Amino acid sequence: MPLLLSGAALGAMAPAVAHAQSTDPAASADTSKPAPQGDSLDDIVVTANRSGAESLQKVPMAIAVINVDEITKGGQGNLADIAKFTPSLSITEGAPGYQKFNMRGLSTGGYASSDTSDRSLVAVYLDDTPISVQGQTPDLKVYDLERVEVLRGPQGTLYGAGSMAGTVRFVTAKPDLTSTFGNVEVGAMATEGGEMSYNGRGMINLPLSDTLAIRGNFYVARDGGWIDNIGRRNRKDANRNNTYQGRVALRWTPDPKLTVDASMTYEYSRAMGLNVAFSGFDKKTILTNGPEGTDDRFRLYTLGADYDAGFAHVIVTGAYTDRAIGFDASVEPQIGYFFQDYGSGLPISNTTYPLFQAPTSYDKNIALKLPAELYQIDQKLKDYMLEGRLVSKPGGPVSWTVGVYYEKQKRHLRQDIPTPGFDKLSYMNYFYGPFAVPGGQYNSQTVDAAFQPDDIFSGLQDVDERQIAAYADGTWHVTKKLSLTAGIRYFDFKESYYLFEGGVYGVVDHVPLTTNARLKSTGVNPRGNISYQVNDDFMIYGEVAKGFRYGGGNQPVPLGSTGIAGQCTQNLAAYGYSSAPLTFGPDKLWNYTIGEKAKLANGRITFNASAYYIDWSDVQTRLRLNCSYFFTDNKGKITSKGIELETMIKATPELTFQLSGSYNDSRAKGDIPTVGAFDGDRTPYYPQWTGSAQIFYDRNVGNGSLHLQAGYQYQSSQNTTFNNFTTALVAGKLVATGPSQTFAVIPESNNVSAAITYDIGKFEFGLYGNNLVDGVGITNVSRATYYQVYQPGSRINVARPRTIGIRAKVKL
């Protein structure tokens, strides 16, 4: 494959991407041949504006393009890896298929896997199809792609509501009508302290006729685990993961003016554990008494056509997504208090309540006695999308794009926490029983409407939403140097939301909680851009754009005078609420960017810089009450400002350097009581500094070519909440009441990687290493609160330790 530049990264060695057979933004060229070397950096073509191919250095936007070939040679390619190669993008990964994208400091906290109303701030697209789900974007491997484009800043005009911070586009390689080619690759890698990993992948392109071609690829892998479970689950390397992925694409050109593309993408991953350990043990050990893991089955079907109508291209795209997501955790420390002695005087027993005396500190023997709390979330998502747009022909004084968009999505979430033995062991609990039921035996199903006996929580959420949008975007080339761009998008959104909660955690006085909510919103989102081409090698630009995302329905909060309901009522009153809002509305922001793009030293250096200021208002913030319930409301303002720098240097025909970095200062503008933020507090889950340095060396050796690469990526530390305080409203003013039980610091990361590849004719061999100095360790921290006596420290997400791998590739 050719080396496909990273807009500020890795691209010095990449050849220009050929123009497609049509102006279809997704069209591609043959990517099977090696790249030539030269004295200057090659041009890179992007389709981020969805109006045809353009030179990256001529697009007046902050864009980076990830080099797919270099990621593959470096033994990387997971979704989270793309954040290492572009400034201002941060990805928090909890397990395969569970990632949260943050960009330009726009974040208010972590995500809740059970919250279907949590909206994405960064849109992820596969070609023209949105595939992102907040916290649960499918982990499609970065393979057989032309490039990955990262667009920073609001993209609401062309990419819709979920792109208020930015957009990530995976641009797939399309079938080639002119030649047959392909490849097969196998690899193996060893992880320090873990088990071996293996993978295989392949691609084939076949012209079936002069007008029809097919392209297929597959990826199969077993990623070895490195975290040991020493609980009753008792698994070594418990977090291994299996992945199966494939894609088949057809391209048909029955007429020179018409191109039809169809594709089917399939991905299935099954993780046998989570990338989680307990900080009280070490970075590679956890204790659970039940299974943990994730599974994700993703199927995407697309059909599109591009017709040259003379005055413009008519482009129509349809897509259907069918996805099933599963998440399992064993979080029995959170229910330990059900089984401890409350001074009842009953004897300690292994089969009846109480199981143990109330502990004063963590005791592994007690942890092993706890019934397995099998926290389960299963989701089914079906999405239908249809888009049509007209794209003007290039070359005139005015270029434009107009389009309409329709999407309908149905999402069904089933949450369940079966806990074997719970009914028998807890019915005499001092706080929760005993219950006056026939036989004196508590039954979760008959008493608290759980899905089954021995079930402490059962929940359903059904979300049915529909959006319609119309948009227009145009550029007036006032002179050869000055261009003005304006865009606007109108949207109409509707949602119906249903929720049911049963089990002891989901009822008030044994009555299940339910919610039926409907909401709708309409609005207009504009953008404007001005650019000035000082000369062929230097451009300056400025942009203002409005970003938005939709609202949603809230989970209920019980009201009452006693028990949990009484506590919730008091918590709500402390924040000025008589009840939790049934729904919450859209939030919005204005983003102001100035930037420049320059080529220096006769094209041997590129230097791109951008600076931004963001004013985010009516922020969707989640209020977590002490009674364990939560809801979202539009409260507070946040401002974010920062700079982004990217440069490439072609020092010699063989040697290329790449440097990039960003600084962000994102803070609460005024107090935000719902998240306990004081004026000036820095936003959580976002590093203030990021940096990346890459070096590449290519030369001919013997009958082949040698490629060397080495890299270093840095992220500064992140906080998990706005500050280290518990807070309360006193006389309408937010005050600190003590140290926070949830605040934690995610340490800085220092990733060192290297790879060597030798390409000889039809064969390619490689050796690589990642996280070579173990500088990437903890990637997230969840502190234990009321249940800390049953858990040895915090649950910490752990990155894969030092890994060394080999790969071999055969070109067909």
Side-chain angles (χ1 to χ4, degrees), residues 247-267:
R247 187 171 188 272
V248 177
L250 284 170
R251 167 158 286 189
W252 180 41
T253 56
D255 184 274
K257 292 185 176 182
L258 176 64
T259 299
V260 179
D261 285 300
S263 69
M264 186 274 183
T265 302
Y266 175 84
E267 184 262 349

Side-chain angles (χ1 to χ4, degrees), residues 309-567:
F311 72 101
H313 278 265
V314 181
I315 301 173
V316 179
T317 304
Y320 169 62
T321 302
D322 184 358
R323 189 175 178 206
I325 315 168
F327 176 85
D328 297 316
S330 189
V331 288
E332 49 272 357
Q334 299 183 18
I335 59 169
Y337 63 91
F338 273 108
F339 312 106
Q340 72 183 34
D341 183 27
Y342 285 87
S344 63
L346 295 173
I348 302 300
S349 168
N350 290 325
T351 57
T352 60
Y353 170 87
L355 293 179
F356 41 78
Q357 297 289 347
T360 57
S361 61
Y362 176 75
D363 186 330
K364 178 182 175 182
N365 293 323
I366 288 179
L368 291 170
K369 283 187 173 185
L370 293 173
E373 183 185 3
L374 306 176
Y375 183 94
Q376 302 171 347
I377 296 178
D378 294 295
Q379 298 188 65
K380 292 182 179 179
L381 185 148
K382 295 184 184 297
D383 188 281
Y384 308 82
M385 185 275 289
L386 181 63
E387 182 177 26
R389 64 185 188 274
L390 295 176
V391 179
S392 67
K393 292 293 190 68
V398 177
S399 57
W400 48 267
T401 300
V402 296
V404 292
Y405 180 86
Y406 172 85
E407 184 177 14
K408 183 175 180 61
Q409 183 178 110
K410 291 188 175 183
R411 190 172 175 185
H412 173 77
L413 180 146
R414 185 182 190 274
Q415 185 177 357
D416 205 16
I417 311 181
T419 306
F422 176 79
D423 290 354
K424 178 180 179 181
L425 291 173
S426 65
Y427 82 101
M428 291 182 64
N429 183 289
Y430 176 79
F431 186 73
Y432 287 97
F435 292 94
V437 296
Q441 176 75 42
Y442 170 67
N443 184 295
S444 299
Q445 187 174 38
T446 58
V447 176
D448 285 327
F451 293 155
Q452 59 206 348
D454 290 323
D455 204 343
I456 65 175
F457 179 86
S458 300
L460 296 174
Q461 294 182 61
D462 286 304
V463 181
D464 190 347
E465 58 187 42
R466 183 274 295 161
Q467 59 170 304
I468 299 173
Y471 58 88
D473 193 84
T475 299
W476 176 30
H477 305 287
V478 183
T479 70
K480 290 184 177 180
K481 294 186 175 183
L482 178 65
S483 296
L484 302 176
T485 298
I488 192 168
R489 186 182 187 99
Y490 168 81
F491 66 88
D492 182 289
F493 172 80
K494 293 181 179 180
E495 178 188 293
S496 62
Y497 175 78
Y498 168 77
L499 177 143
F500 165 88
E501 291 181 351
V504 70
Y505 276 169
V507 299
V508 176
D509 295 330
H510 311 303
V511 177
L513 297 174
T514 59
T515 290
N516 274 290
R518 294 183 180 275
L519 63 150
K520 64 177 298 182
S521 56
T522 59
V524 174
N525 289 273
R527 83 170 182 118
N529 184 292
I530 180 171
S531 64
Y532 188 76
Q533 195 76 42
V534 179
N535 56 48
D536 286 343
D537 295 327
F538 183 56
M539 176 182 67
I540 58 176
Y541 65 91
E543 184 174 46
V544 57
K546 184 180 181 182
F548 71 106
R549 60 177 172 170
Y550 300 126
N554 268 320
Q555 301 184 23
V557 175
L559 300 175
S561 57
T562 60
I564 294 295
Q567 184 182 358

Side-chain angles (χ1 to χ4, degrees), residues 761-811:
K762 291 187 175 183
F763 301 97
E764 181 178 294
F765 305 95
L767 173 69
Y768 60 85
N770 288 308
N771 201 9
L772 289 173
V773 298
D774 271 337
V776 185
I778 299 172
T779 60
N780 197 8
V781 181
S782 298
R783 290 183 61 190
T785 54
Y786 65 89
Y787 53 90
Q788 56 188 314
V789 72
Y790 293 108
Q791 183 172 299
S794 305
R795 284 175 70 96
I796 55 175
N797 290 82
V798 184
R800 182 177 290 275
R802 181 184 298 109
T803 297
I804 306 294
I806 58 173
R807 47 183 290 272
K809 182 176 182 179
V810 179
K811 302 169 189 176

